[in-house]
Amino acid sequence: LSPAVTAPEGASPDRRRVLASLGTALGVGAVAGVLGSGSSTGPAPVEIPENASTEVRGALQTAADNSLAVDGLEPLVSQQFYTVDINAVDPEVDVTDWSLSVTGAVEEEITLDIEDIRSMDSRTEFNTLRCVGENLNGKKMDNALWTGVDVMDIVERANPQSDCECVMLRAADDYYEEFPIAALNGGMLAYQMNGRPLPRSHGYPLRALVPGHWGEINVKWLTEIEVLEREADGYWEERGWHGTGPVETVAKIHAVNTLPEGRKQVGGHAYAGTRGVSAVEVSTDGGDSWTDASLSDPLPDADVWRQWRHVFEPDGEREVVVRATDGTGTLQSSEESGSVPSGASGWVRRTVG
């Protein structure tokens, strides 16, 4: 996934350092029915395929059970997952001709087809993606359950020989993104999404998922992992973006409801990458005072969002402000910035009458 607009020059020189430090610290069937949910109201959870594995079915059920009952708020597994691409038409990859190669500064280049990859030990986990180019309260942030293989299990087969210790991921649509090999620790090459084969719009037959980073680094339609001998800019870095670093902490306001008794309910999602979200606070007086919001129970994986909700007594128009605290105890920055070049930051504000 990648930003939707062109940015001016001026990418941060600290990009590689923060990427490496974070990476080192991280360690189609027919639809059978709809998952049951612990919520009595709010959007329905995602459907599950008839042939879903026990692991997938259990994980999706957990997400449904943990989702909060807030009308207008997506459950913990997104019903519609955003897409942003560099071309108007997605590539149509013939899986029978497709392969993944590890090339460049390696002891031995390797090439694998999809059956080679599917025969490897796999894992299934939730992962949230947020687009670096979205506005602060935008909706280009979603969560899904992915199944795939450990990317480093494949890279290490080729025995990298690079002093640079950096890689370029390349895709069938001519997209490319560079970052340190260390950022791949804990990363996945996914071939299923929510128990189904990866959709074309999300990179069929294989895409990268790099923990805790902006969506653009999670290259779709992956065809090559090139181990570089020297650093090089990726597609969006050449256009002035610094989007390959760790995501900014954010809490969003996406639901405003009037309850039957006249009280107001607000809700949204909060996300802080692999740091996790430990708290969300809501102010109904423009930031003068704060109250802890109710949070959805956390999903079992590190790189996922949480839902929040808050109910208050209306008294004319209120300026509602929301902020999150990540799992390290660090409060979301109040400093406001646009998406260029490193992602939007600040506290989300919304007038509720």
Side-chain angles (χ1 to χ4, degrees), residues 207-274:
R207 70 168 302 161
L209 294 171
V210 182
H213 292 74
W214 291 103
E216 69 167 59
I217 203 171
N218 297 266
V219 176
K220 300 185 286 189
W221 309 292
L222 186 65
T223 59
E224 181 183 4
I225 301 173
E226 180 187 5
V227 180
L228 302 176
E229 293 183 348
R230 61 185 61 86
E231 294 181 16
D233 286 334
Y235 182 95
W236 286 108
E237 282 66 43
E238 291 178 345
R239 290 153 178 81
W241 286 85
H242 169 210
T244 54
V247 294
E248 299 281 357
T249 299
V250 69
K252 296 171 178 279
I253 305 172
H254 282 160
V256 177
N257 300 309
T258 301
L259 301 181
E261 62 272 26
R263 294 185 299 165
K264 290 290 185 180
Q265 180 192 61
V266 289
H269 294 93
Y271 177 55
T274 55

Side-chain angles (χ1 to χ4, degrees), residues 102 105-107 152 155-162 181 227:
V102 182
V106 296
E107 182 177 339
M152 288 305 296
V155 172
E156 288 171 352
R157 289 188 189 186
N159 194 9
Q161 304 288 305
S162 168
I181 291 178
V227 180

Side-chain angles (χ1 to χ4, degrees), residues 289-317:
S289 61
W290 297 89
T291 302
D292 284 339
S294 298
L295 286 177
S296 60
D297 289 339
L299 293 174
D301 303 306
D303 191 11
V304 290
W305 65 9
R306 296 178 76 174
Q307 295 170 307
W308 65 268
R309 68 181 170 196
H310 179 66
V311 175
F312 64 97
E313 297 289 344
D315 182 16
E317 278 194 349

Side-chain angles (χ1 to χ4, degrees), residues 93-211:
V93 178
D94 182 352
V95 71
T96 61
D97 294 330
W98 174 90
S99 64
L100 172 69
S101 298
V102 182
T103 66
V106 296
E107 182 177 339
E108 181 181 4
E109 295 190 355
I110 62 170
T111 299
L112 303 174
D113 62 25
I114 194 63
E115 293 307 320
D116 293 329
I117 292 170
R118 288 174 179 163
S119 68
M120 297 173 58
D121 290 340
S122 65
R123 69 179 194 267
T124 295
E125 63 189 30
F126 293 105
N127 189 287
T128 298
L129 298 178
R130 180 186 175 198
C131 179
V132 69
E134 71 157 0
N135 63 43
L136 185 59
N137 200 37
K139 292 192 174 181
K140 290 186 174 127
M141 183 175 81
D142 286 297
N143 186 60
L145 182 70
W146 310 87
T147 300
V149 300
D150 192 307
V151 60
M152 288 305 296
D153 283 353
I154 292 176
V155 172
E156 288 171 352
R157 289 188 189 186
N159 194 9
Q161 304 288 305
S162 168
D163 292 334
C164 163
E165 295 189 350
C166 49
V167 296
M168 187 78 76
L169 299 192
R170 301 186 186 277
D173 66 343
D174 297 325
Y175 182 60
Y176 49 94
E177 193 54 71
E178 184 265 6
F179 46 90
I181 291 178
L184 294 177
N185 290 333
M188 175 191 288
L189 299 182
Y191 51 79
Q192 282 191 359
M193 182 180 184
N194 296 333
R196 300 180 176 86
L198 204 61
R200 176 183 173 188
S201 61
H202 283 283
Y204 177 85
L206 195 73
R207 70 168 302 161
L209 294 171
V210 182

